[in-house]
């Protein structure tokens, strides 16, 4: 298939890329931009490992055609896990996932980072039930999820105290 | 004694930032200039002879570089020395739907996929075997010619006098239990990148480098050497981050060998990454198992004898099968005190993906049967499930009747912890009162255990199972070279903690270089929960070795005996004097050592020393520098091999089961059962795990929760659905891996029975808790409904048909004529429309018939 020139805005930066129109956003991020943080865990959009934020909303990059999300000034800003750290330091949620065992093998973690980021951006004080519901969009085979709840709560607390512990 | 600086403290995994930022690299994240993509052609038939493979059309496709077939690398291999029955790609026969037939190497994935369609393969179908009890009757058309009756291996063990034991029993329960097939489904699909270097001297093919998602780099190096006819020294295996294993990466997975063979033929770097579906076909998970179990007990609750016959539906290749079937028998021992054991185990070949090692390897399904039957016995003699378990505890130190040495034994405390926390007796009574409508609720108790590494390695030798090197750097940095394979369980962090604790330095000084066969000494891999115990011990010894050299130098500087030198928290001081952090005059030294590079530091420290003369304390950095000035390079080496008396009895097959130490687990499950829908809801699990010393409590807790969670998946919803050798649910959604909303709260209790031989007393934490939860759920369902399920998983249709049976309601056949309360056979799901049990003779209406028999275009 012939390649086309597209423009993507990822983590605040614009990129001009020549890609096949049928190329998925996930593959474009991983192969053309070298942003391998977003993972592929399934063939049928069931795992959430590929989640990215599109203008703040979590989306499965394995179901999106890159060419359909060109930046047009008005939106289509993609945030990947590489864009979560703040000013060269771990964001509260990243630190908390490390401290509280929210991440074991880490393969699901980028997806969870995006899910949790969007949850807390929209709802800074979610209830336990809301956290559970939000996390159920992603699969993890290692943790049994329990320690993730601790991590999310710790991150909320750290944010509120303005610390990064 | 438990006054440690780092051990026992919760620390974040040292590689966690790489995981939360996306910076960490897994195999599929790697690429190389000129890298090609490999795609594998899989067999559409369960059992067939390959009459012809013609890749001509595929090779001609623009972008295809080469097509690899079985004859390109016909050497046989397998993870067990007794089970070398696999080849990189099928040479003469395919043995399961999904078997590996050919591999296309192309410039892109989509071209490779197109090319697969162009490979012309002609098959001659053979009768196929999907049920192990049927497969065992076969006289001809064997899956492997050298395995009569398709039996991979059978064992018949007798320990003590089972006949006499049953004669002494006041009550005997006998029953058949059937466990469905489950798989690891690690979130990272397998991936391998392989390339050859060119040799400067010969100008020809040089060393092979393989980066792969593996739990066993050293075994991979070994098998690559066999298949490629290349010395191990010419092969480098590197393990990048691995996205979960659970046993699914603990042997050589076909793509790992195929990528290397393909790289050789294509003369370029080749990467192969499985799709999720391919991961399911590669499998190597826990086999469907039939367990005929008989247990005798005296009126006082003490066990007199156990007889178990186990048949495992092993799939088409040996894989770890011989070890699995041995574990199933051996680990009847070492949990309770059983004086007489009879064990008959059959590992059977069938035309399905090979089963292998999965978390709780070999023990899980038999434990489901045993702990269920224990409750049946308790009921029969009118005893509480709690009391019967307490009645049969071991009295360590001891050696069990089947030759397993038990030293530390935290099971009694585990049982007490969960019974107390769940308020066992009162809550059960309360639920009986409260839930007597359509929704019932009950509690179930069960126990399990697991090895802390196998005392005998797969390839028998006297070689240590783990060796670790440590190098001290000029500025007091510590580099640990370990072969341990971190697959997410946190072994790199464990190694760092132990090294830092022994050396008395902070964790920040430690760098871990792991699992790279060029750099790190041999460690046989991350399986059988061996890493903390074995690599931990080797790390400890390596650190002690290096420490000795630092202490010798420090003693000279401080003018004291070596025995009087103490090290902790980056400080070195003389015994009997105040620890430096309690003094007021340390500022100057801390400042000097904090932030200057090696050379500058050295000059300034020596200068300082001249000015000040000998002291009674110094920093770790200063001590390291003096050791180097004194001895040149400072390094340490340590190795671990399990002691002889832990290696088990001498009987045939006695090498599997023995371990230097066992972990223990007890669990109470609180479950609700909807008697109208058959749905089981687990509300809560209390799980206590004896891991010896918890080196890193957050990590231990995470492992225990993860094990319990994975066991719950097997108990309630995960299972392979088969139809004529075709896997019907090869995806995360259809396989029903539980999400957060389906996962109950797991309350963990860590029990620390400090083991005399474990590093700081530690034992395994990652597997032992999986097995208990399945029978605990079964026992809770019984407690709630009075219905005993003997077939797992406890899906709504099984539960409902069982409940309708005990309630005397009209039978609705939801379970293919297999009664889940008394299963007589493994069941095929959804009937057998196409094969009707007659091997590969497809039904004439089967749409797959023609293209399946010949792929000619
Ligand atoms: S890769 Fe699994 S949902 Fe996108
Ligand atoms: S941490 Fe391994 S899959 Fe979630």
């Amino acid at each position: 298939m012939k390649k086309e020139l597209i423009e993507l805005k990822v983590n605040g930066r614009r990129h001009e890329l020549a890609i096949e129109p049928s190329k998925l956003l996930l593959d474009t991020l991983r192969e053309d931009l070298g942003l391998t943080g977003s993972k592929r865990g399934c063939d049928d959009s069931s795992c959430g490992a590929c989640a990215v934020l599109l203008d703040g909303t979590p989306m499965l990059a394995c179901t999106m055609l890159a060419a359909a999300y060109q930046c047009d000034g008005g939106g289509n800003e993609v945030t990947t896990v590489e864009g979560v750290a703040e000013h060269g330091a771990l964001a509260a949620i990243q630190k908390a996932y490390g401290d509280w065992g929210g991440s074991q093998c880490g393969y699901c973690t980028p997806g969870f980072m995006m899910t949790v980021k969007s949850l807390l951006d929209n709802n800074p004080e979610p209830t336990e039930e809301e956290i559970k519901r939000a996390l159920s969009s992603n699969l993890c085979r290692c943790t049994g999820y329990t320690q993730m709840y601790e991590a999310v709560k710790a991150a909320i607390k750290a944010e509120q105290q303005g610390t990064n512990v | 004694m438990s006054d440690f600086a780092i051990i026992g403290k919760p620390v974040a995994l040292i590689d966690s930032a790489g995981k939360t930022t996306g910076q960490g690299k897994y195999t599929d994240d790697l690429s190389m200039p000129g890298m090609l993509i490999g795609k594998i052609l899989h067999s559409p038939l369960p059992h067939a002879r390959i009459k012809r493979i013609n890749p001509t059309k595929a090779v001609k496709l623009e972008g295809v570089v080469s097509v690899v077939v079985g004859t390109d690398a016909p050497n046989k291999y397998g993870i067990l020395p007794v089970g070398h029955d696999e080849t990189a790609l099928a040479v003469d026969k395919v043995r399961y739907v999904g078997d590996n037939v050919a591999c296309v190497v192309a410039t892109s994935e989509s071209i490779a996929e197109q090319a697969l369609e162009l490979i012309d393969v002609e098959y001659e179908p053979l009768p196929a075997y999907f049920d192990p009890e049927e497969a065992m009757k076969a006289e001809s058309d064997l899956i492997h010619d050298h395995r009569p009756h398709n039996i991979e291996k059978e064992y018949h063990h007798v320990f003590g006098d089972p006949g006499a034991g049953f004669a002494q029993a006041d009550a005997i329960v006998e029953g058949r239990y059937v466990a469905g097939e489950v798989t690891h489904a690690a979130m990272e699909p397998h991936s391998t990148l392989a390339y050859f270097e060119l040799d400067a001297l010969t100008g020809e093919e040089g060393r092979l480098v393989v980066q792969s998602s593996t739990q066993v780099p050293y075994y991979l190096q070994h098998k690559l050497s066999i298949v490629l006819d290349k010395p191990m020294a010419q092969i480098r295996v590197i393990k990048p981050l691995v996205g979960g294993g659970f046993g699914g990466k603990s042997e050589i997975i076909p793509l790992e060998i195929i990528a290397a063979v393909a790289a050789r033929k294509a003369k370029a770097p080749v990467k192969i990454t499985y799709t999720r579906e391919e991961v399911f076909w590669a499998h190597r998970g826990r086999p469907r198992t039939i367990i005929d179990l008989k247990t005798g007990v005296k009126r006082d609750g003490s066990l007199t004898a156990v007889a178990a016959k186990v048949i495992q539906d092993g799939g088409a290749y040996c894989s770890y099968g011989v070890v699995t079937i041995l574990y199933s028998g051996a680990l009847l021992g070492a949990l309770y005190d059983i004086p007489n054991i009879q064990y008959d185990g059959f590992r059977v070949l069938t035309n399905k993906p090979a089963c292998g090692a999965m978390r709780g390897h070999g023990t899980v399904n038999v434990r489901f049967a045993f702990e269920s039957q224990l409750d049946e016995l308790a009921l029969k003699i009118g005893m509480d499930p709690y009391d019967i378990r307490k009645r049969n505890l071991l009295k360590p130190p001891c050696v069990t009747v089947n030759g397993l040495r038990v030293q530390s034994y935290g099971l009694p405390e585990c049982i007490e912890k969960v019974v107390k926390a769940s308020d066992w007796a009162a809550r059960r009574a309360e639920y009986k009162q409260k839930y007597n409508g359509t929704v019932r609720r009950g509690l179930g108790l069960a126990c399990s255990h697991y090895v802390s590494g196998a005392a005998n390695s797969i390839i028998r030798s006297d070689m240590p199972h783990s060796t670790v090197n440590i190098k001290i750097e000029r500025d007091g940095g510590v580099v640990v070279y370990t072969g341990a394979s971190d697959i997410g369980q946190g072994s790199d962090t464990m190694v760092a903690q132990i090294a830092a604790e022994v050396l008395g330095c902070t964790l920040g000084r430690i760098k871990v270089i792991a699992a790279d066969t060029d750099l790190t000494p041999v460690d046989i891999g991350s399986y059988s929960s061996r890493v903390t115990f074995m690599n931990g011990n080797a790390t400890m010894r390596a650190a002690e070795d290096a420490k000795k050299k630092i202490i010798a130098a420090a003693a000279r500087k401080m003018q004291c005996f070596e025995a009087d030198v103490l090290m902790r928290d980056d400080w070195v001081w003389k015994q009997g004097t105040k620890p430096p952090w309690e003094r007021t005059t340390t500022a100057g030294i801390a400042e000097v050592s904090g932030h200057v590079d090696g050379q500058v530091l050295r000059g300034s420290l020596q200068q300082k020393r001249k000015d000040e003369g000998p002291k009674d304390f110094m920093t770790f950095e200063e001590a390291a520098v003096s050791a180097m000035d004194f001895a040149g390079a400072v390094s340490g080496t340590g190795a671990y091999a399990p002691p002889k008396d832990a290696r088990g009895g001498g009987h045939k097959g006695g090498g599997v089961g023995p371990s230097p130490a066992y972990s223990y687990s007890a669990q109470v499950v609180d479950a609700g059962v909807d008697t109208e829908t058959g749905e089981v809801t687990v509300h809560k699990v209390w799980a206590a795990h004896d891991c010896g010393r918890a080196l890193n409590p957050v990590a231990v807790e995470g492992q225990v929760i993860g094990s319990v969670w994975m066991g719950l998946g097997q108990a309630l919803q995960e299972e392979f659905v088969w139809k004529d050798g075709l896997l019907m649910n090869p995806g995360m959604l259809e396989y029903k891996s539980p999400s957060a909303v389906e996962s109950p709260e797991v309350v963990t209790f860590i029990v620390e029975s400090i083991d005399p031989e474990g590093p700081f007393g530690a034992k395994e934490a990652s597997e032992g808790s999986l097995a208990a939860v399945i029978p605990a759920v079964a026992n809770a369902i019984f407690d709630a409904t009075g219905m005993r399920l003997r077939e797992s998983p406890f899906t709504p249709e099984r539960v409902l048909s069982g409940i309708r049976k005990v309630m005397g309601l009209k039978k609705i056949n939801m379970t293919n004529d297999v009664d889940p309360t008394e299963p007589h056979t493994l069941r095929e799901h959804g009937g057998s429309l196409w094969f009707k049990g007659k091997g590969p003779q497809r039904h004439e209406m089967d749409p797959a018939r023609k293209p399946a028999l010949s792929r000619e275009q």
Side-chain angles (χ1 to χ4, degrees), chain B residues 3 69 86 198 280 307 333 342 350 419 428 458 567 647 716:
Chain B
D3 178 30
V69 294
E86 295 181 61
L198 292 180
F280 275 87
Q342 178 175 341
T350 48
V419 161
R428 284 176 86 206
I458 295 171
M567 297 172 78
R647 296 188 196 174
L716 295 173

mmCIF file with all atom_site columns, all heavy atoms in Angstrom, chain B residues 3 69 86 198 280 307 333 342 350 419 428 458 567 647 716:
data_model
loop_
_atom_site.group_PDB
_atom_site.id
_atom_site.type_symbol
_atom_site.label_atom_id
_atom_site.label_alt_id
_atom_site.label_comp_id
_atom_site.label_asym_id
_atom_site.label_entity_id
_atom_site.label_seq_id
_atom_site.pdbx_PDB_ins_code
_atom_site.Cartn_x
_atom_site.Cartn_y
_atom_site.Cartn_z
_atom_site.occupancy
_atom_site.B_iso_or_equiv
_atom_site.pdbx_formal_charge
_atom_site.auth_seq_id
_atom_site.auth_comp_id
_atom_site.auth_asym_id
_atom_site.auth_atom_id
_atom_site.pdbx_PDB_model_num
ATOM 1   N N   . ASP B 1 3   ? 16.899  -7.214  63.118 1.00 0.00 ? 3   ASP B N   1
ATOM 2   C CA  . ASP B 1 3   ? 17.285  -5.822  62.969 1.00 0.00 ? 3   ASP B CA  1
ATOM 3   C C   . ASP B 1 3   ? 18.093  -5.652  61.691 1.00 0.00 ? 3   ASP B C   1
ATOM 4   O O   . ASP B 1 3   ? 19.308  -5.627  61.701 1.00 0.00 ? 3   ASP B O   1
ATOM 5   C CB  . ASP B 1 3   ? 18.101  -5.388  64.188 1.00 0.00 ? 3   ASP B CB  1
ATOM 6   C CG  . ASP B 1 3   ? 18.559  -3.954  64.061 1.00 0.00 ? 3   ASP B CG  1
ATOM 7   O OD1 . ASP B 1 3   ? 17.841  -3.170  63.424 1.00 0.00 ? 3   ASP B OD1 1
ATOM 8   O OD2 . ASP B 1 3   ? 19.635  -3.639  64.593 1.00 0.00 ? 3   ASP B OD2 1
ATOM 9   N N   . VAL B 1 69  ? 11.668  -24.091 6.457  1.00 0.00 ? 69  VAL B N   1
ATOM 10  C CA  . VAL B 1 69  ? 10.851  -25.294 6.705  1.00 0.00 ? 69  VAL B CA  1
ATOM 11  C C   . VAL B 1 69  ? 11.613  -26.250 7.619  1.00 0.00 ? 69  VAL B C   1
ATOM 12  O O   . VAL B 1 69  ? 12.788  -26.015 7.931  1.00 0.00 ? 69  VAL B O   1
ATOM 13  C CB  . VAL B 1 69  ? 10.489  -26.009 5.383  1.00 0.00 ? 69  VAL B CB  1
ATOM 14  C CG1 . VAL B 1 69  ? 9.565   -25.141 4.538  1.00 0.00 ? 69  VAL B CG1 1
ATOM 15  C CG2 . VAL B 1 69  ? 11.731  -26.386 4.609  1.00 0.00 ? 69  VAL B CG2 1
ATOM 16  N N   . GLU B 1 86  ? 10.820  -32.465 19.906 1.00 0.00 ? 86  GLU B N   1
ATOM 17  C CA  . GLU B 1 86  ? 10.368  -31.341 19.085 1.00 0.00 ? 86  GLU B CA  1
ATOM 18  C C   . GLU B 1 86  ? 11.433  -30.982 18.061 1.00 0.00 ? 86  GLU B C   1
ATOM 19  O O   . GLU B 1 86  ? 12.623  -31.182 18.293 1.00 0.00 ? 86  GLU B O   1
ATOM 20  C CB  . GLU B 1 86  ? 10.115  -30.107 19.965 1.00 0.00 ? 86  GLU B CB  1
ATOM 21  C CG  . GLU B 1 86  ? 8.979   -30.290 20.948 1.00 0.00 ? 86  GLU B CG  1
ATOM 22  C CD  . GLU B 1 86  ? 8.732   -29.047 21.794 1.00 0.00 ? 86  GLU B CD  1
ATOM 23  O OE1 . GLU B 1 86  ? 8.408   -28.003 21.217 1.00 0.00 ? 86  GLU B OE1 1
ATOM 24  O OE2 . GLU B 1 86  ? 8.866   -29.135 23.020 1.00 0.00 ? 86  GLU B OE2 1
ATOM 25  N N   . LEU B 1 198 ? 29.212  -11.485 12.208 1.00 0.00 ? 198 LEU B N   1
ATOM 26  C CA  . LEU B 1 198 ? 30.160  -12.130 11.301 1.00 0.00 ? 198 LEU B CA  1
ATOM 27  C C   . LEU B 1 198 ? 31.508  -12.226 12.003 1.00 0.00 ? 198 LEU B C   1
ATOM 28  O O   . LEU B 1 198 ? 31.905  -11.340 12.758 1.00 0.00 ? 198 LEU B O   1
ATOM 29  C CB  . LEU B 1 198 ? 30.274  -11.342 9.999  1.00 0.00 ? 198 LEU B CB  1
ATOM 30  C CG  . LEU B 1 198 ? 29.006  -11.377 9.129  1.00 0.00 ? 198 LEU B CG  1
ATOM 31  C CD1 . LEU B 1 198 ? 29.197  -10.579 7.858  1.00 0.00 ? 198 LEU B CD1 1
ATOM 32  C CD2 . LEU B 1 198 ? 28.609  -12.818 8.793  1.00 0.00 ? 198 LEU B CD2 1
ATOM 33  N N   . PHE B 1 280 ? -1.823  -18.735 22.763 1.00 0.00 ? 280 PHE B N   1
ATOM 34  C CA  . PHE B 1 280 ? -2.701  -19.811 23.236 1.00 0.00 ? 280 PHE B CA  1
ATOM 35  C C   . PHE B 1 280 ? -2.315  -21.145 22.624 1.00 0.00 ? 280 PHE B C   1
ATOM 36  O O   . PHE B 1 280 ? -2.366  -22.173 23.284 1.00 0.00 ? 280 PHE B O   1
ATOM 37  C CB  . PHE B 1 280 ? -4.162  -19.476 22.938 1.00 0.00 ? 280 PHE B CB  1
ATOM 38  C CG  . PHE B 1 280 ? -4.796  -18.619 23.998 1.00 0.00 ? 280 PHE B CG  1
ATOM 39  C CD1 . PHE B 1 280 ? -4.713  -17.243 23.956 1.00 0.00 ? 280 PHE B CD1 1
ATOM 40  C CD2 . PHE B 1 280 ? -5.459  -19.202 25.075 1.00 0.00 ? 280 PHE B CD2 1
ATOM 41  C CE1 . PHE B 1 280 ? -5.287  -16.450 24.940 1.00 0.00 ? 280 PHE B CE1 1
ATOM 42  C CE2 . PHE B 1 280 ? -6.042  -18.425 26.065 1.00 0.00 ? 280 PHE B CE2 1
ATOM 43  C CZ  . PHE B 1 280 ? -5.950  -17.044 25.991 1.00 0.00 ? 280 PHE B CZ  1
ATOM 44  N N   . ALA B 1 307 ? -4.441  -43.176 48.097 1.00 0.00 ? 307 ALA B N   1
ATOM 45  C CA  . ALA B 1 307 ? -4.116  -43.778 46.806 1.00 0.00 ? 307 ALA B CA  1
ATOM 46  C C   . ALA B 1 307 ? -4.617  -42.845 45.721 1.00 0.00 ? 307 ALA B C   1
ATOM 47  O O   . ALA B 1 307 ? -5.779  -42.451 45.720 1.00 0.00 ? 307 ALA B O   1
ATOM 48  C CB  . ALA B 1 307 ? -4.767  -45.146 46.664 1.00 0.00 ? 307 ALA B CB  1
ATOM 49  N N   . GLY B 1 333 ? 2.914   -35.569 49.457 1.00 0.00 ? 333 GLY B N   1
ATOM 50  C CA  . GLY B 1 333 ? 3.644   -35.490 50.725 1.00 0.00 ? 333 GLY B CA  1
ATOM 51  C C   . GLY B 1 333 ? 4.043   -34.060 51.047 1.00 0.00 ? 333 GLY B C   1
ATOM 52  O O   . GLY B 1 333 ? 3.847   -33.154 50.242 1.00 0.00 ? 333 GLY B O   1
ATOM 53  N N   . GLN B 1 342 ? 0.043   -44.477 47.842 1.00 0.00 ? 342 GLN B N   1
ATOM 54  C CA  . GLN B 1 342 ? 0.195   -45.180 46.567 1.00 0.00 ? 342 GLN B CA  1
ATOM 55  C C   . GLN B 1 342 ? -0.088  -44.189 45.449 1.00 0.00 ? 342 GLN B C   1
ATOM 56  O O   . GLN B 1 342 ? -1.061  -43.438 45.500 1.00 0.00 ? 342 GLN B O   1
ATOM 57  C CB  . GLN B 1 342 ? -0.778  -46.349 46.479 1.00 0.00 ? 342 GLN B CB  1
ATOM 58  C CG  . GLN B 1 342 ? -0.631  -47.043 45.126 1.00 0.00 ? 342 GLN B CG  1
ATOM 59  C CD  . GLN B 1 342 ? -1.484  -48.290 45.022 1.00 0.00 ? 342 GLN B CD  1
ATOM 60  O OE1 . GLN B 1 342 ? -1.912  -48.853 46.027 1.00 0.00 ? 342 GLN B OE1 1
ATOM 61  N NE2 . GLN B 1 342 ? -1.725  -48.712 43.798 1.00 0.00 ? 342 GLN B NE2 1
ATOM 62  N N   . THR B 1 350 ? -1.682  -36.403 23.488 1.00 0.00 ? 350 THR B N   1
ATOM 63  C CA  . THR B 1 350 ? -2.911  -36.221 22.717 1.00 0.00 ? 350 THR B CA  1
ATOM 64  C C   . THR B 1 350 ? -2.625  -35.200 21.618 1.00 0.00 ? 350 THR B C   1
ATOM 65  O O   . THR B 1 350 ? -1.619  -34.486 21.687 1.00 0.00 ? 350 THR B O   1
ATOM 66  C CB  . THR B 1 350 ? -4.058  -35.689 23.601 1.00 0.00 ? 350 THR B CB  1
ATOM 67  O OG1 . THR B 1 350 ? -3.562  -34.586 24.367 1.00 0.00 ? 350 THR B OG1 1
ATOM 68  C CG2 . THR B 1 350 ? -4.590  -36.757 24.543 1.00 0.00 ? 350 THR B CG2 1
ATOM 69  N N   . VAL B 1 419 ? -8.287  -18.845 60.013 1.00 0.00 ? 419 VAL B N   1
ATOM 70  C CA  . VAL B 1 419 ? -9.484  -19.264 60.733 1.00 0.00 ? 419 VAL B CA  1
ATOM 71  C C   . VAL B 1 419 ? -9.921  -18.158 61.681 1.00 0.00 ? 419 VAL B C   1
ATOM 72  O O   . VAL B 1 419 ? -11.101 -17.840 61.806 1.00 0.00 ? 419 VAL B O   1
ATOM 73  C CB  . VAL B 1 419 ? -9.222  -20.603 61.466 1.00 0.00 ? 419 VAL B CB  1
ATOM 74  C CG1 . VAL B 1 419 ? -10.239 -20.844 62.562 1.00 0.00 ? 419 VAL B CG1 1
ATOM 75  C CG2 . VAL B 1 419 ? -9.238  -21.751 60.461 1.00 0.00 ? 419 VAL B CG2 1
ATOM 76  N N   . ARG B 1 428 ? -19.656 -19.142 59.762 1.00 0.00 ? 428 ARG B N   1
ATOM 77  C CA  . ARG B 1 428 ? -20.355 -20.247 59.082 1.00 0.00 ? 428 ARG B CA  1
ATOM 78  C C   . ARG B 1 428 ? -21.758 -20.424 59.653 1.00 0.00 ? 428 ARG B C   1
ATOM 79  O O   . ARG B 1 428 ? -22.740 -20.604 58.927 1.00 0.00 ? 428 ARG B O   1
ATOM 80  C CB  . ARG B 1 428 ? -19.569 -21.549 59.221 1.00 0.00 ? 428 ARG B CB  1
ATOM 81  C CG  . ARG B 1 428 ? -18.367 -21.621 58.308 1.00 0.00 ? 428 ARG B CG  1
ATOM 82  C CD  . ARG B 1 428 ? -17.592 -22.877 58.568 1.00 0.00 ? 428 ARG B CD  1
ATOM 83  N NE  . ARG B 1 428 ? -18.100 -24.021 57.825 1.00 0.00 ? 428 ARG B NE  1
ATOM 84  C CZ  . ARG B 1 428 ? -17.963 -25.286 58.203 1.00 0.00 ? 428 ARG B CZ  1
ATOM 85  N NH1 . ARG B 1 428 ? -17.371 -25.574 59.352 1.00 0.00 ? 428 ARG B NH1 1
ATOM 86  N NH2 . ARG B 1 428 ? -18.416 -26.254 57.466 1.00 0.00 ? 428 ARG B NH2 1
ATOM 87  N N   . ILE B 1 458 ? 17.156  -29.961 36.041 1.00 0.00 ? 458 ILE B N   1
ATOM 88  C CA  . ILE B 1 458 ? 16.648  -30.735 34.920 1.00 0.00 ? 458 ILE B CA  1
ATOM 89  C C   . ILE B 1 458 ? 17.764  -31.552 34.280 1.00 0.00 ? 458 ILE B C   1
ATOM 90  O O   . ILE B 1 458 ? 17.615  -32.731 33.993 1.00 0.00 ? 458 ILE B O   1
ATOM 91  C CB  . ILE B 1 458 ? 16.046  -29.783 33.860 1.00 0.00 ? 458 ILE B CB  1
ATOM 92  C CG1 . ILE B 1 458 ? 14.832  -29.070 34.432 1.00 0.00 ? 458 ILE B CG1 1
ATOM 93  C CG2 . ILE B 1 458 ? 15.668  -30.560 32.609 1.00 0.00 ? 458 ILE B CG2 1
ATOM 94  C CD1 . ILE B 1 458 ? 14.320  -27.977 33.526 1.00 0.00 ? 458 ILE B CD1 1
ATOM 95  N N   . MET B 1 567 ? 29.557  -3.051  59.371 1.00 0.00 ? 567 MET B N   1
ATOM 96  C CA  . MET B 1 567 ? 29.158  -2.295  58.174 1.00 0.00 ? 567 MET B CA  1
ATOM 97  C C   . MET B 1 567 ? 27.646  -2.231  58.100 1.00 0.00 ? 567 MET B C   1
ATOM 98  O O   . MET B 1 567 ? 26.979  -3.244  58.233 1.00 0.00 ? 567 MET B O   1
ATOM 99  C CB  . MET B 1 567 ? 29.683  -2.988  56.898 1.00 0.00 ? 567 MET B CB  1
ATOM 100 C CG  . MET B 1 567 ? 31.199  -3.041  56.816 1.00 0.00 ? 567 MET B CG  1
ATOM 101 S SD  . MET B 1 567 ? 31.774  -4.056  55.436 1.00 0.00 ? 567 MET B SD  1
ATOM 102 C CE  . MET B 1 567 ? 31.531  -2.938  54.055 1.00 0.00 ? 567 MET B CE  1
ATOM 103 N N   . ARG B 1 647 ? 17.964  -33.815 48.638 1.00 0.00 ? 647 ARG B N   1
ATOM 104 C CA  . ARG B 1 647 ? 17.725  -34.192 47.242 1.00 0.00 ? 647 ARG B CA  1
ATOM 105 C C   . ARG B 1 647 ? 16.808  -35.392 47.056 1.00 0.00 ? 647 ARG B C   1
ATOM 106 O O   . ARG B 1 647 ? 16.602  -35.856 45.945 1.00 0.00 ? 647 ARG B O   1
ATOM 107 C CB  . ARG B 1 647 ? 19.058  -34.424 46.527 1.00 0.00 ? 647 ARG B CB  1
ATOM 108 C CG  . ARG B 1 647 ? 19.884  -33.146 46.447 1.00 0.00 ? 647 ARG B CG  1
ATOM 109 C CD  . ARG B 1 647 ? 21.101  -33.304 45.574 1.00 0.00 ? 647 ARG B CD  1
ATOM 110 N NE  . ARG B 1 647 ? 22.054  -32.220 45.801 1.00 0.00 ? 647 ARG B NE  1
ATOM 111 C CZ  . ARG B 1 647 ? 23.259  -32.175 45.248 1.00 0.00 ? 647 ARG B CZ  1
ATOM 112 N NH1 . ARG B 1 647 ? 23.665  -33.163 44.462 1.00 0.00 ? 647 ARG B NH1 1
ATOM 113 N NH2 . ARG B 1 647 ? 24.063  -31.160 45.502 1.00 0.00 ? 647 ARG B NH2 1
ATOM 114 N N   . LEU B 1 716 ? -13.098 -20.539 38.929 1.00 0.00 ? 716 LEU B N   1
ATOM 115 C CA  . LEU B 1 716 ? -14.422 -20.031 38.559 1.00 0.00 ? 716 LEU B CA  1
ATOM 116 C C   . LEU B 1 716 ? -14.683 -19.885 37.071 1.00 0.00 ? 716 LEU B C   1
ATOM 117 O O   . LEU B 1 716 ? -15.810 -20.058 36.616 1.00 0.00 ? 716 LEU B O   1
ATOM 118 C CB  . LEU B 1 716 ? -14.658 -18.670 39.231 1.00 0.00 ? 716 LEU B CB  1
ATOM 119 C CG  . LEU B 1 716 ? -14.733 -18.701 40.756 1.00 0.00 ? 716 LEU B CG  1
ATOM 120 C CD1 . LEU B 1 716 ? -14.795 -17.285 41.300 1.00 0.00 ? 716 LEU B CD1 1
ATOM 121 C CD2 . LEU B 1 716 ? -15.940 -19.507 41.222 1.00 0.00 ? 716 LEU B CD2 1
#
